[in-house]
Amino acid sequence: MMTAVRELPVMVQVPDRRRITAISNGMFVAGLAIVAVLMPLGRLPNPPESPPYVSMVLLPLLLQRMVLMAWDSYRQQDRSWPSARMAVAFALPLVAAIAATVTAFNVSVAWAASILLFSALLRGWVLAQYVREREFRVFENFVLWMTVVVTVFGFFQFFGDTFGVPQTWTLLEDRYTSAAAFPFPRVQAFALEPLYLAHYLFLPIGILLVRRWRTRKASILEQVLLIGVIAVLLLTLSRGGILGLLLCGLVMTAVTRSWRELLYFARSVAIAFAIVVGMLSLAGAVPNAYANTSNAGALDAFASHAANLNEDSARTRYDLWPGTTQIFLDHPMLGVGPNNSRLLLQDGTPTSTADEAAGMQPVNNDYLAYLSEMGLIGVLLTLPLIWLVLRSLWGVVRARFDHPSAPYAFALLGMAFQANSFHSLLLLGTWVVIGLLIAGARFVGEGQDQSRKLI
């Protein structure tokens, strides 16, 4: 009887423990779902990267697993704490941002950017440290279903704008309609700009291609979605995105050494390109819905812009980059502070507000921007995180893409290439991809450790 009484608390605690764990897992998956939904939604009334920071809603859902696991570790005294190396790697860039903020040209703008960077780094670390392998598949499915919505709406934007559907329905900004720079609409779906949409689309394309590589087959839905996504990416007219996609395809082929996969990728691109040519030809044949004039020349305008690396939008980047290099040479150690390079390049002042800074042209080169804003100290403090990323990428290469991190390696390669002419360091998608890339490498490492223990 006494033995039964002593065992009663244990018997009662088991279901409670399981219930708490189930609730915690459900909350974490809900957080992943919110991440997947928010990533392409830059045109919310309050975008994920703008006040009141909608994306921060998901942080408690993700962080609760850390609290629960820490409490369990404390009670069981098993000392299964998070990886200190990983925590330090994600913390050091924030230390660099704070150091650069102290001596920043505009302290208020630098603090605002540092807070955003803290949120991004924290999100990336939580995913890298606490996501589980079975949740990868769940997250990827959420991404693909969200991509279906984005792709369908992207096609609707093109056809809707071509045939005169009001902008209140298409959600296209004035500068991307067929009444603006080109005689056809540039698709942006729910993103802030077409370039942001291209940045996001690397991830679903990576997921679809890697699934095909692993299983050697793809459903009709997956094949159609891949072609549709590539077509939408082409319609963004993002040269960095288009070139990044082709680079990713070539690298994947070189790593896997599979001509079959290259043919599958090439076929998908060719079909998507044929669809885009047909859409542009249609736009050229329809009278301009805004000016009641001809839209002729849509296909020529598309080809000319895609191949011209010296037109006006490219020139704005070339004009800013030398000035950014000079900023680094003038402030080599700590830089001028996060998000401050645009202020110095465009006659900002130490009293300019964060909103005023957001309206200025960014450097559109993440590498030059980081170097000029964080200085050499910032670069040195970021090296541990860069090492984690490179080691994870090398694991994907060694596994020939048969690796949990493979879709995120594909996406990050495209994003890293696009970053030469884009600003993406504070975007939600960038740090989600980095966090999950490192998480996949963690799974492999944990599996190898378990195998050694069994031996």
Side-chain angles (χ1 to χ4, degrees), residues 6 35 48-49 54 148 188 213 274 290 313:
R6 285 195 296 269
V35 169
E49 289 79 28
V54 177
V148 170
Q188 66 182 114
W213 158 251
Y290 292 89
S313 63

Side-chain angles (χ1 to χ4, degrees), residues 356-375:
E356 290 172 340
M360 297 179 181
Q361 178 72 29
V363 174
N364 275 323
N365 184 306
D366 281 337
Y367 308 107
L368 289 177
Y370 196 84
L371 187 62
S372 64
E373 294 173 357
M374 302 290 199

Side-chain angles (χ1 to χ4, degrees), residues 31-107:
L32 288 177
I34 294 175
V35 169
V37 170
L38 286 180
M39 283 175 64
L41 301 184
R43 300 201 70 200
L44 291 170
N46 296 105
E49 289 79 28
S50 301
Y53 307 119
V54 177
S55 64
M56 289 189 180
V57 173
L58 64 91
L59 278 176
L61 295 174
L62 300 176
L63 285 170
Q64 54 80 28
R65 175 172 286 177
M66 175 192 71
V67 176
L68 184 66
M69 293 180 68
W71 175 247
D72 285 345
S73 179
Y74 170 75
R75 292 186 63 186
Q76 297 171 13
Q77 297 182 346
D78 61 2
R79 297 184 180 181
S80 57
W81 300 104
S83 166
R85 179 172 55 183
M86 190 181 298
V88 169
F90 276 93
L92 287 178
L94 179 62
V95 173
I98 294 173
T101 297
V102 172
T103 59
F105 171 73
N106 184 312
V107 176

Side-chain angles (χ1 to χ4, degrees), residues 10 96 153 158 177 193 235 244 265 268 328 330 338 351 375 378 385 398:
V10 177
F153 189 72
F158 187 94
T177 67
E193 298 177 8
L235 290 171
F265 174 72
S268 301
F328 165 69
D330 293 339
T351 58
L385 181 57
R398 292 183 62 186

Side-chain angles (χ1 to χ4, degrees), residues 161-180:
D161 185 82
T162 298
F163 290 102
V165 174
Q167 285 176 252
T168 53
W169 287 80
T170 65
L171 300 185
L172 278 172
E173 291 190 10
D174 291 340
R175 54 184 169 161
Y176 302 125
T177 67
S178 53

